Amino acid sequence: MPRPTAGWRGPFRVAILGAIAAGLVSGGALAQIPEEVPPGAPETPYVDPAKAYLFAHMTSERYGVLFYSVSLDGLHWRRLNGGKPVSEDYHGHPSITRAPDGRYILVGNKSDSDPFVRFWSSRDLITWTPAGSYQPDLSSVRGLPNPLQRLGAPKLFYDKASGQYLLTWHTPNVPHTPADPERYWASQRTLYVTSKDLKTFDGPPKLLFDWDIATIDTIIMPGDDGKGYCAVIKDERYPSYNWTTGKTVRISCAASLLGPYPMPGPAISPNFREAPTIIRAPNNRDWLAYYEQYAGQSYGVSKAPRLEGPWYQLQGNSGVKRWNRFEMPEGTRHGFMIEISRKEYDGLVAAFPEGTAAKP
C-alpha cells in the first residue's frame, strides 16, 4: 500500500479515520471489531463452560519431545504432567488434526533429515499409537531443483469439504555454509501432498505457493466464517530495509484448499518469530495467533477480530502481573493449539496431573 502523501488530509482523511474507528477497511468491507475495556483497564477473559484448549509442544530442555499445556480461556496456560513429557515415543514439531472418524492424528518426524513423515493416532489425546508413515520422493518437485533431503516441521490438516488430508512441510535446495548461512534458509519452500487415508498419497510433492519467498512452518486453516482457506506462514527471508517482513508471521487466504494463494499480507508478528498457531477465543469473536520468539526466548500473541485483521500484540510474560493479558509456562517451544471439550480437558488433567509426573 503506498505511503500517504502530504496532501492526505481533509475530508478523505477524516472519513478513513472514522472507518478505522468503526472497523477495518478490508476488501471493501468493514470488519466487525468487538467491544473492549478502556485501554489498560483490568480485563477478565471470557470462559466457555463447554470449551478448553490443548497446546501440544516441545520445550527448550527437550526439543522435539511432546509436552502438554492447557488453558480454559486461551490466554493463560499451565503445564501438565509435572512438567514432564506426555510421550517418550513421539518426536517432532507437534501438529494435530481431527480425522473424520473422530480420532486425533498427530504428525512428526525424528529429525529434519528423517526421510519419513510419521503419524500417530489417539481417541482421547492421552494414549498415542503409531499410525504409519510416508516417505516423500523429493527427486522430482517441479519448480524446486535439487531439493535437499530435509522435511522441516510437517503439518497436517484435514479438509472436511474435500474429504482429504493436506500434509505440508518445508524443504531447502541450497546447502548451509558458515560463510553465508542465510542462503540455506532463503531456499526453503513449502511443499505438500494430499491423501484420503494417510496410506496412499496423490502424486509427488508439489510447491504450495508460487511466490518467490522463503516460507517455513506453514499451517492451513479454514477462513473466516468457514469460507475459503488461510495459509499462516513464516516469511523466512532475512529482514532488511528492502524486506521488512523478514522472519515474521504472515497470512494469505484463498478460495480453494490448494490455492492459488495470493502474496501474503502484512506481518502480524514482530521480526524473528516463528512456529505460528492460531485458535478462536472462547467468545468466538477474536483470533489469537501465537508465535515463538526464537530460539526459545518467549511466546507472543497477536489478536484480531478476523484473520485479515486488524492485528495487534498482547502484553504478557512481562513480570508485572497486572500488565499481562496472557501467561505461558517458561521454556515452552514450538507447538500446536487445538480447541477441546471440557470433558477432554478434565480427562487430560486427570491423566497428567500438574504436581507430579504421570507415567507416559
Side-chain angles (χ1 to χ4, degrees):
M1 179 177 179
R3 182 176 297 175
T5 65
W8 190 70
R9 294 185 175 91
F12 178 73
R13 180 175 184 272
V14 171
I16 290 294
L17 292 178
I20 292 173
L24 175 70
V25 179
S26 176
L30 295 180
Q32 186 66 34
I33 298 179
E35 293 182 8
E36 297 177 306
V37 301
E43 183 174 345
T44 301
Y46 175 74
V47 173
D48 186 322
K51 294 180 182 177
Y53 300 89
L54 169 65
F55 188 16
H57 60 87
M58 59 183 81
T59 67
S60 297
E61 295 77 19
R62 298 196 64 181
Y63 192 86
V65 178
L66 187 63
F67 292 78
Y68 279 172
S69 294
V70 292
S71 173
L72 292 176
D73 60 15
L75 292 167
H76 297 84
W77 299 85
R78 53 199 180 102
R79 187 78 44 80
L80 294 184
N81 207 30
K84 304 296 183 182
V86 298
S87 171
E88 293 292 349
D89 182 44
Y90 175 82
H91 193 281
H93 293 217
S95 170
I96 299 175
T97 195
R98 198 78 182 264
D101 63 2
R103 290 178 302 136
Y104 290 98
I105 307 296
L106 174 67
V107 63
N109 54 3
K110 291 183 178 179
S111 68
D112 283 0
S113 58
D114 182 358
F116 292 94
V117 177
R118 302 170 190 272
F119 307 105
W120 289 259
S121 70
S122 176
R123 289 284 180 185
D124 55 11
L125 296 166
I126 297 170
T127 302
W128 290 100
T129 303
S133 62
Y134 163 66
Q135 184 175 10
D137 178 7
L138 299 177
S139 64
S140 57
V141 180
R142 182 179 299 176
L144 189 67
N146 305 313
L148 305 182
Q149 181 54 58
R150 293 289 186 273
L151 307 178
K155 309 293 182 188
L156 190 64
F157 171 69
Y158 179 74
D159 178 39
K160 294 180 181 179
S162 63
Q164 62 183 345
Y165 294 92
L166 177 67
L167 175 65
T168 62
W169 67 90
H170 50 266
T171 288
N173 70 341
V174 175
H176 177 277
T177 63
D180 190 2
E182 280 301 317
R183 291 176 68 247
Y184 169 83
W185 292 107
S187 74
Q188 301 278 353
R189 296 295 186 272
T190 297
L191 304 182
Y192 78 91
V193 289
T194 57
S195 174
K196 292 284 188 180
D197 55 10
L198 297 182
K199 293 181 175 60
T200 58
F201 294 82
D202 300 326
K206 301 179 180 67
L207 288 166
L208 185 56
F209 311 122
D210 59 7
W211 339 307
D212 187 23
I213 299 177
T215 57
I216 71 168
D217 294 346
T218 297
I219 61 173
I220 303 296
M221 58 187 294
D224 285 307
D225 306 318
K227 298 176 181 177
Y229 302 86
C230 290
V232 186
I233 61 106
K234 180 195 175 186
D235 180 339
E236 189 57 358
R237 289 196 181 188
Y238 203 83
S240 67
Y241 288 131
N242 292 321
W243 199 265
T244 56
T245 58
K247 311 291 188 184
T248 68
V249 175
R250 303 171 67 185
I251 297 177
S252 171
C253 298
S256 301
L257 177 65
L258 301 180
Y261 286 89
M263 285 283 287
I268 70 170
S269 77
N271 301 99
F272 298 101
R273 303 300 192 272
E274 63 184 10
T277 182
I278 298 185
I279 54 173
R280 195 66 159 161
N283 62 15
N284 285 324
R285 299 186 304 177
D286 302 311
W287 291 107
L288 302 173
Y290 282 81
Y291 38 78
E292 179 188 335
Q293 179 187 0
Y294 61 92
Q297 295 301 308
S298 67
Y299 256 84
V301 186
S302 290
K303 178 180 176 180
R306 298 183 64 80
L307 289 169
E308 70 263 29
W311 290 92
Y312 73 93
Q313 289 177 256
L314 300 184
Q315 171 78 309
N317 292 330
S318 67
V320 182
K321 190 170 184 179
R322 69 179 182 275
W323 293 351
N324 291 344
R325 289 291 191 259
F326 73 96
E327 298 278 358
M328 183 70 70
E330 185 176 356
T332 302
R333 294 211 60 187
H334 291 37
F336 195 80
M337 295 176 179
I338 60 170
E339 182 182 305
I340 58 176
S341 69
R342 186 62 69 92
K343 182 179 179 181
E344 290 172 317
Y345 169 91
D346 291 340
L348 289 171
V349 172
F352 305 113
E354 293 177 76
T356 57
K359 192 173 182 180

